[in-house]
Amino acid sequence: MTQQGISEQRVDPLARGVWGVVATPFTDAGEIDEASLARLVQFYESVGAAGLTVLGVFGEAAALTAAERMQVLGVVAEHSRLPIVAGITSLATAPAISEIENAQATVGDRLQAVMVQANSGSSAVVIEHLRRIHAATGAAVVLQDYPKSSGISISTDSLIAVVEASPFVSAVKAEAPPTAVAIARITASVEVSVFGGLGGQGLLDELAAGSAGAMTGFSFPEALVSCVSAWLAGDAEAARAELVPYLPLINFEQQPGIALALRKELFRRRGLFTSAAVRAPAVKFPNELDEIAADHLVELDAQEVR
Amino acid sequence: MTQQGISEQRVDPLARGVWGVVATPFTDAGEIDEASLARLVQFYESVGAAGLTVLGVFGEAAALTAAERMQVLGVVAEHSRLPIVAGITSLATAPAISEIENAQATVGDRLQAVMVQANSGSSAVVIEHLRRIHAATGAAVVLQDYPKSSGISISTDSLIAVVEASPFVSAVKAEAPPTAVAIARITASVEVSVFGGLGGQGLLDELAAGSAGAMTGFSFPEALVSCVSAWLAGDAEAARAELVPYLPLINFEQQPGIALALRKELFRRRGLFTSAAVRAPAVKFPNELDEIAADHLVELDAQEVR
Amino acid sequence: MTQQGISEQRVDPLARGVWGVVATPFTDAGEIDEASLARLVQFYESVGAAGLTVLGVFGEAAALTAAERMQVLGVVAEHSRLPIVAGITSLATAPAISEIENAQATVGDRLQAVMVQANSGSSAVVIEHLRRIHAATGAAVVLQDYPKSSGISISTDSLIAVVEASPFVSAVKAEAPPTAVAIARITASVEVSVFGGLGGQGLLDELAAGSAGAMTGFSFPEALVSCVSAWLAGDAEAARAELVPYLPLINFEQQPGIALALRKELFRRRGLFTSAAVRAPAVKFPNELDEIAADHLVELDAQEVR
Amino acid sequence: MTQQGISEQRVDPLARGVWGVVATPFTDAGEIDEASLARLVQFYESVGAAGLTVLGVFGEAAALTAAERMQVLGVVAEHSRLPIVAGITSLATAPAISEIENAQATVGDRLQAVMVQANSGSSAVVIEHLRRIHAATGAAVVLQDYPKSSGISISTDSLIAVVEASPFVSAVKAEAPPTAVAIARITASVEVSVFGGLGGQGLLDELAAGSAGAMTGFSFPEALVSCVSAWLAGDAEAARAELVPYLPLINFEQQPGIALALRKELFRRRGLFTSAAVRAPAVKFPNELDEIAADHLVELDAQEVR
């Protein structure tokens, strides 16, 4: 350990594969639905997810109280043995540290890393943010670049500079399109895992660019797992064949403005969630898409891909 | 004709099918490449496009001089017999009318309609804008809702109000996600054709929601044509089968920030364009994607879908 | 109280005058500086502020932990007798309620109201959000329309609909320009106090439009108090005369991107704060403005307005 | 002249003082009102403006046809002897060159410079854009950094790099807040005039930071002229005294969303314009502000500053 309490040596890269971004199920009354949450994480484990990312943007962490966040983490830890990455909502250092301490108190060494958003376009600001977070908590960090959620744009060069200066960063989640370009450049520069997200829309390109897999919450994670496994086994053809039948649904589910509601509705139709309820101001599932959602499921059944 | 010179009766809806959004090819020196443009529109005609949309956002109309816009329209009209929709760049009435007059002077009755962007969130403002445009030019109008390009957000209710008040509107181009919701609501309310765009990413859903087809510039328009034709013939299964193998490339091509460059590069690799040059400030094709683009083409060949 | 726990009768409008938006002072090491905070709130009381708005956007509430927010409220309550409005950071209902409960636990009936941001462009969503907040906490609400901070745009009509449906709303803070238009329309429709903010840049216009005063954190609150007091006493000339000499500094301080740093630096130079430190990712005071800031203070001294 | 047709030597900086940003008056029917335009430019000349900036954002250039732009320039040139800067609307090179050629054909050597917007955050892209513009037209360039209008953000460092590489740049118009910081940094680095805009809200700070004056369209330009003249004569006190009484109106007029309508209405009330008409989608003067606008004028009269 150096003077700053930060080891000079880079931590191990986060495990390759598919990290399930865990949606937080609610009852129709709006309370956390622990049974549905347990089903979801068990399902992720059963299909071969590498780990679970909890309390991310699509986990509606920003709509949960601190107590509810701990409740969610507790249920997740109890019902699966997968490693956990906890998403951190705050862009500021002190409340981010507080969130991490709560996560550590809840799941202990099950916490593989915390996912922290790039909170500035200036690499110096992000480096200091991460340095203080790590010094206070010792946590490994997944650095998330997700301008659509954070409102922050950072160049790929600056992102690389942050990773280079932060040996405790074990992964980058690259969600600023064009993601394949960013992934190619980051993986050419530093030894970290880089994951794509965005529902898997660009997964094949991201793998080709050098990504370590996907970290996303698509309602058929088994398809992502099959695709990434085939890719990691060296079979690009098979990877493509596994993913392509699901792309119509991936694109459907990833529609801006209603993606969360679609995903939850699909989990409901799959029997994993009891309700598709979201917390306001998130938008509800629009009835106009009722049949189209049904058609997608019928199609996947018909192709025996399900 | 009423006092305002506007007929009370709605014009015929724009023809169903795939309208090719024509990219404007440039030489490496940045001049309009007429030979490539001729090849492109002949190709669109050969694959069964319903018509051509020229001078849209992806036609880089905003980077062309008035003379160049007429040059492009002239080449398009000369080398295909397809009906033409001319995109109008300006959001203000007077210069929009001027653009339309130039288009009419160039291609005459080949001009099926002009595509005008919703220029306000207020239906009253858009209605007056279109009324004055139609009164001055007599042109039928395709109303485009493309907030990412125009910076204007308009509700679906307001969009419907505009169409209802404007009998000379023959189509709506719905590019504000979630597009399938908008398409379902518009087609349930008024008798116009509604087209999706966005590269075809949501084409199957949009057709299911009642769209008249696609109006977009994906580099393999034959796939969109096959899909839409199958759909219009009542065969949803076939429609899906035609589109799905192309979805990886559709998603690749539609990446925010570089979509235009990718599309042009793919046209170049297909032998339709001599150069993939774009006009600044549009972004060039990133070298990091060189192999990934090649892989997409190899894949399509391998599957004999090409 | 009705079944929903919501009285049908509107609460008293929030007191007219100047509500000081309390900046949270930090030490150079980044910790909450209680002594400076105590000085600031005592100063607000000494100059005749009507009340204190704590934990707002410019109170850097988003950069404070839950414990620190309570610490700030506690210091404020201890060192002044003014009524307190507590700003609520979260846009979602459950964590907003949690914040309010913490505030109530800390300052009890010193809490005059909580300031909640419009969290949707849909009045129905905001109404439900406020209804649940009030049902859970009983708190009176100041509804804040501040799109630059919240990212949410809501029409004035929708804002009025929210207030009409929510009798426990005692004030609106109107910070979506043009504010004078919104203030005129709201005050013509419902019996609530409406306050302008934005550093006081439009204070005279807002008063003329019917505002109840200012709720903002300008570094010379005594100028705002003198202005509003004169206005409420019916002397528009005097109100203008009190404010005008401060407008150069108001405009200086309100500059986008660095307004918080400027305000804190001016408090430091006035001897109220020990340090001008802000918490990242907020931007620091730029050295280039060192002399200009000094000039503003010299000017105000020279004019004996200080 | 070098090989590229660009002299290595920097052109003379644009003259210090106040450049009037000329609003384009319309009749109630929406046509260009030449008589009002003539009155306005004569007024600018009579109050001592250093020059006229025509066809800028607030000249509604984007709502004028090419023919109308030339008409406006022609009227301006005919009715004043002041040097002219012509605003260029397009962000792309070819149509920008076309606009410049039209301006040159209309006003010849009365054209002191053309005002071109930074069209990318990349200095290399802007440099090439300006290089090609200058090579094609020989025009001197005022580089405008106005992200609110262009949608483009460029760092001050990149802006300086552009000016250093472009000796034909005679001025920068700095309208990305905080402007005083940018002005201080640019004037410390390169020998160009730097002007503030934004209605004059930060004029005193901008002069203190080293600006060459103001380039804006505030409805009482004589106040800006008096202020800048006093400043350039070395009398900071007088500069302040000249500006301060107008700051309430400056802030009123500069309100986002309706600034253009306010400015035109004030010109109408001053007798310079016959109508306050704007071209859609610009927003009309809101009736709610009728009396407030009147009060501002009464105030200025009462203080004998008018």
Side-chain angles (χ1 to χ4, degrees):
Chain A
M1 299 291 264
T2 66
Q3 183 190 355
Q4 294 79 21
I6 297 179
S7 163
E8 296 293 333
Q9 197 168 341
R10 183 162 300 280
V11 293
D12 288 340
L14 203 66
R16 290 171 171 266
V18 174
W19 286 72
V21 170
V22 178
T24 303
F26 299 114
T27 64
D28 285 338
E31 300 306 309
I32 291 172
D33 175 356
E34 295 198 356
S36 292
L37 181 56
R39 274 196 298 275
L40 178 63
V41 299
Q42 287 160 354
F43 180 70
Y44 272 122
E45 187 161 351
S46 73
V47 300
L52 299 171
T53 303
V54 189
L55 302 179
V57 172
F58 273 72
E60 292 176 82
L64 302 177
T65 65
E68 288 175 328
R69 291 179 193 181
M70 293 170 82
Q71 180 187 357
V72 167
L73 279 170
V75 172
V76 168
E78 182 184 352
H79 292 277
S80 90
R81 292 156 302 178
L82 292 172
I84 294 172
V85 168
I88 303 305
T89 298
S90 179
L91 297 180
T93 310
I97 290 170
S98 177
E99 292 184 47
I100 296 168
E101 288 168 346
N102 283 347
Q104 290 173 325
T106 310
V107 300
D109 59 11
R110 291 286 300 282
L111 191 70
Q112 190 91 357
V114 292
M115 184 161 68
V116 177
Q117 300 192 64
N119 70 340
S120 168
S122 152
S123 55
V125 171
V126 183
I127 288 169
E128 177 65 6
H129 180 52
L130 298 188
R131 191 194 66 72
R132 293 178 58 191
I133 282 175
H134 182 73
T137 67
V141 168
V142 176
L143 177 60
Q144 184 177 27
D145 177 23
Y146 192 12
K148 203 167 157 186
S149 162
S150 65
I152 304 289
S153 284
I154 183 169
S155 71
T156 304
D157 283 346
S158 295
L159 214 54
I160 291 169
V162 172
V163 178
E164 284 176 340
S166 310
F168 49 83
V169 169
S170 60
V172 173
K173 190 173 183 201
E175 300 191 279
T179 52
V181 178
I183 290 168
R185 297 192 51 212
I186 298 168
T187 54
S189 303
V190 273
E191 288 287 326
V192 283
S193 295
V194 186
F195 293 88
L198 303 178
Q201 283 195 303
L203 178 54
L204 294 168
D205 300 328
E206 291 163 351
L207 288 167
S211 85
M215 186 179 279
T216 191
F218 175 49
S219 58
F220 283 75
E222 60 269 45
L224 306 180
V225 170
S226 301
C227 170
V228 172
S229 299
W231 179 272
L232 295 178
D235 191 343
E237 281 302 303
R240 181 183 164 99
E242 294 289 353
L243 188 71
V244 164
Y246 291 89
L247 280 174
L249 181 58
I250 286 175
N251 284 1
F252 175 72
E253 196 171 305
Q254 195 63 13
Q255 293 181 82
I258 57 169
L260 174 65
L262 295 179
R263 185 171 290 177
K264 286 187 144 183
E265 174 65 13
L266 283 154
F267 279 136
R268 191 190 66 78
R269 295 187 184 206
R270 294 197 79 184
L272 291 165
F273 280 12
T274 300
S275 162
V278 297
R279 286 197 172 170
V283 173
K284 292 177 193 166
F285 180 80
N287 293 332
E288 288 89 346
L289 299 182
D290 198 44
E291 283 182 49
I292 295 176
D295 290 348
H296 277 289
L297 296 178
V298 169
E299 271 305 327
L300 292 177
D301 269 338
Q303 296 183 37
E304 296 179 279
V305 296
R306 208 170 152 183
Chain B
M1 299 289 266
T2 67
Q3 185 190 354
Q4 295 79 21
I6 298 181
S7 165
E8 296 294 332
Q9 199 170 341
R10 183 162 301 279
V11 293
D12 289 340
L14 202 66
R16 290 170 172 270
V18 173
W19 287 73
V21 169
V22 178
T24 303
F26 300 115
T27 63
D28 285 338
E31 300 305 309
I32 291 172
D33 175 356
E34 295 198 356
S36 291
L37 180 56
R39 272 196 300 274
L40 178 63
V41 298
Q42 286 161 354
F43 181 70
Y44 271 122
E45 188 161 350
S46 73
V47 300
L52 299 171
T53 302
V54 189
L55 302 179
V57 172
F58 274 72
E60 291 175 82
L64 302 177
T65 65
E68 287 175 329
R69 291 180 192 180
M70 294 170 80
Q71 181 187 357
V72 166
L73 279 170
V75 171
V76 168
E78 183 184 351
H79 292 278
S80 89
R81 291 156 303 179
L82 292 172
I84 294 172
V85 168
I88 303 304
T89 299
S90 180
L91 296 180
T93 312
I97 290 171
S98 176
E99 291 184 48
I100 296 169
E101 288 169 345
N102 283 347
Q104 291 173 325
T106 308
V107 300
D109 59 12
R110 292 287 299 283
L111 192 70
Q112 191 91 358
V114 292
M115 184 161 68
V116 177
Q117 300 193 63
N119 71 338
S120 169
S122 152
S123 55
V125 171
V126 183
I127 288 169
E128 177 66 6
H129 180 53
L130 297 188
R131 191 194 66 72
R132 293 178 59 190
I133 281 175
H134 182 73
T137 67
V141 168
V142 177
L143 178 59
Q144 184 177 27
D145 177 24
Y146 191 12
K148 202 167 159 186
S149 162
S150 65
I152 304 289
S153 284
I154 183 169
S155 72
T156 303
D157 283 346
S158 295
L159 213 54
I160 290 170
V162 171
V163 177
E164 284 175 340
S166 310
F168 49 83
V169 169
S170 59
V172 172
K173 190 173 183 200
E175 300 191 279
T179 53
V181 178
I183 290 169
R185 298 194 49 213
I186 298 168
T187 54
S189 303
V190 275
E191 288 286 327
V192 283
S193 295
V194 186
F195 292 89
L198 303 179
Q201 283 196 302
L203 178 54
L204 294 168
D205 301 327
E206 290 163 351
L207 289 167
S211 86
M215 187 179 276
T216 192
F218 176 49
S219 59
F220 283 75
E222 61 268 44
L224 306 180
V225 171
S226 300
C227 170
V228 172
S229 299
W231 179 273
L232 294 178
D235 191 343
E237 282 302 304
R240 181 183 165 98
E242 293 289 352
L243 189 71
V244 165
Y246 291 89
L247 280 173
L249 182 58
I250 285 175
N251 284 1
F252 175 71
E253 197 172 305
Q254 196 61 15
Q255 292 181 81
I258 58 167
L260 174 65
L262 295 179
R263 186 170 290 176
K264 287 187 143 183
E265 173 65 13
L266 283 155
F267 278 138
R268 191 190 67 77
R269 295 187 184 206
R270 294 197 78 185
L272 291 165
F273 280 11
T274 301
S275 163
V278 297
R279 284 195 173 173
V283 173
K284 292 178 192 165
F285 179 82
N287 293 332
E288 288 89 346
L289 299 182
D290 197 44
E291 282 182 49
I292 296 176
D295 289 348
H296 277 289
L297 295 178
V298 169
E299 271 305 328
L300 291 177
D301 267 339
Q303 296 183 35
E304 295 179 280
V305 296
R306 205 169 155 183
Chain C
M1 298 291 263
T2 68
Q3 183 190 357
Q4 292 81 20
I6 298 181
S7 163
E8 297 293 332
Q9 198 170 342
R10 182 162 302 279
V11 294
D12 289 339
L14 202 66
R16 290 172 171 267
V18 173
W19 286 73
V21 170
V22 178
T24 303
F26 299 114
T27 63
D28 285 337
E31 300 305 310
I32 290 172
D33 175 357
E34 296 198 355
S36 292
L37 181 55
R39 272 196 299 274
L40 178 63
V41 299
Q42 286 160 353
F43 181 70
Y44 271 123
E45 189 162 348
S46 72
V47 300
L52 298 172
T53 302
V54 189
L55 302 179
V57 172
F58 274 73
E60 291 175 84
L64 302 178
T65 65
E68 288 175 328
R69 290 180 193 181
M70 294 169 80
Q71 180 186 357
V72 166
L73 279 170
V75 172
V76 168
E78 182 185 351
H79 291 278
S80 88
R81 292 156 302 177
L82 292 171
I84 294 173
V85 169
I88 304 304
T89 298
S90 180
L91 297 180
T93 311
I97 290 171
S98 177
E99 292 183 48
I100 296 169
E101 290 168 345
N102 284 346
Q104 291 173 325
T106 309
V107 300
D109 58 12
R110 292 287 301 282
L111 192 70
Q112 189 92 356
V114 293
M115 184 162 67
V116 177
Q117 300 191 62
N119 70 338
S120 168
S122 153
S123 55
V125 171
V126 183
I127 288 169
E128 177 66 8
H129 179 53
L130 297 188
R131 191 194 65 72
R132 293 177 60 190
I133 281 174
H134 181 73
T137 66
V141 168
V142 177
L143 177 58
Q144 184 178 27
D145 178 23
Y146 192 11
K148 202 166 159 187
S149 162
S150 65
I152 303 289
S153 285
I154 184 168
S155 71
T156 303
D157 284 345
S158 295
L159 213 54
I160 290 170
V162 172
V163 177
E164 283 175 341
S166 309
F168 49 81
V169 169
S170 59
V172 173
K173 189 173 182 202
E175 300 191 278
T179 53
V181 178
I183 290 168
R185 297 194 49 214
I186 298 168
T187 53
S189 303
V190 274
E191 288 286 327
V192 284
S193 295
V194 186
F195 292 89
L198 303 179
Q201 283 195 304
L203 178 54
L204 294 168
D205 299 328
E206 291 164 351
L207 288 167
S211 85
M215 188 179 275
T216 192
F218 175 50
S219 59
F220 283 76
E222 60 268 44
L224 306 180
V225 171
S226 302
C227 170
V228 172
S229 298
W231 179 272
L232 294 178
D235 190 343
E237 282 302 305
R240 181 183 164 100
E242 294 288 353
L243 189 72
V244 164
Y246 291 89
L247 280 174
L249 181 59
I250 286 175
N251 285 2
F252 175 71
E253 194 171 307
Q254 196 61 15
Q255 292 181 82
I258 56 168
L260 174 66
L262 295 179
R263 186 171 289 177
K264 286 186 145 183
E265 173 66 12
L266 283 154
F267 279 136
R268 191 189 67 76
R269 294 186 184 206
R270 294 197 78 185
L272 292 164
F273 280 12
T274 300
S275 162
V278 297
R279 285 196 173 173
V283 173
K284 292 177 193 166
F285 179 80
N287 293 332
E288 288 89 346
L289 299 182
D290 198 44
E291 282 182 49
I292 295 176
D295 289 347
H296 277 290
L297 295 179
V298 169
E299 271 305 327
L300 291 177
D301 268 339
Q303 296 183 35
E304 295 179 280
V305 297
R306 209 169 152 184
Chain D
M1 299 291 264
T2 67
Q3 184 189 357
Q4 294 81 19
I6 297 179
S7 164
E8 297 293 333
Q9 199 170 341
R10 183 161 302 280
V11 294
D12 289 340
L14 203 65
R16 289 170 173 268
V18 174
W19 286 73
V21 170
V22 178
T24 303
F26 299 115
T27 64
D28 285 338
E31 300 305 308
I32 290 172
D33 176 355
E34 295 198 356
S36 292
L37 181 55
R39 272 196 299 274
L40 178 62
V41 299
Q42 286 160 354
F43 181 70
Y44 272 122
E45 188 162 349
S46 74
V47 301
L52 298 171
T53 302
V54 189
L55 302 178
V57 171
F58 273 72
E60 291 176 83
L64 303 177
T65 65
E68 288 175 328
R69 291 180 192 180
M70 294 168 80
Q71 181 187 355
V72 166
L73 279 171
V75 172
V76 168
E78 183 184 351
H79 291 278
S80 89
R81 292 156 301 178
L82 292 172
I84 294 173
V85 168
I88 303 305
T89 299
S90 179
L91 296 181
T93 311
I97 290 171
S98 177
E99 291 184 48
I100 296 168
E101 289 169 346
N102 283 347
Q104 291 174 324
T106 308
V107 301
D109 58 13
R110 291 287 299 281
L111 192 70
Q112 189 92 357
V114 292
M115 184 162 68
V116 177
Q117 299 191 64
N119 71 339
S120 168
S122 152
S123 56
V125 171
V126 183
I127 288 169
E128 177 65 7
H129 180 51
L130 298 188
R131 191 194 66 72
R132 293 178 58 191
I133 281 175
H134 181 73
T137 67
V141 168
V142 176
L143 178 59
Q144 184 178 27
D145 177 24
Y146 191 13
K148 202 166 160 188
S149 164
S150 65
I152 304 288
S153 284
I154 183 169
S155 71
T156 303
D157 283 346
S158 295
L159 213 55
I160 291 169
V162 172
V163 177
E164 283 176 341
S166 311
F168 49 83
V169 169
S170 59
V172 172
K173 190 173 181 200
E175 301 191 278
T179 52
V181 178
I183 290 169
R185 296 193 51 215
I186 298 169
T187 54
S189 302
V190 273
E191 288 286 326
V192 284
S193 294
V194 185
F195 292 89
L198 304 179
Q201 283 195 302
L203 178 54
L204 294 169
D205 299 328
E206 291 164 351
L207 288 168
S211 85
M215 186 180 277
T216 192
F218 175 48
S219 59
F220 283 76
E222 61 267 45
L224 306 181
V225 170
S226 300
C227 170
V228 173
S229 299
W231 179 272
L232 295 179
D235 190 343
E237 281 303 305
R240 181 183 164 99
E242 293 289 350
L243 189 72
V244 165
Y246 291 90
L247 280 173
L249 182 57
I250 285 175
N251 284 2
F252 175 71
E253 195 172 306
Q254 195 62 13
Q255 291 181 82
I258 57 168
L260 175 64
L262 295 180
R263 187 171 289 178
K264 285 187 146 184
E265 174 66 13
L266 283 154
F267 279 136
R268 191 190 67 75
R269 296 188 182 204
R270 295 197 78 186
L272 291 165
F273 280 12
T274 300
S275 163
V278 296
R279 286 196 172 171
V283 173
K284 292 178 194 166
F285 180 81
N287 293 331
E288 288 89 346
L289 300 183
D290 199 44
E291 281 181 50
I292 295 176
D295 289 348
H296 278 289
L297 295 179
V298 169
E299 271 306 327
L300 291 178
D301 269 337
Q303 297 183 36
E304 294 179 281
V305 297
R306 207 169 155 183

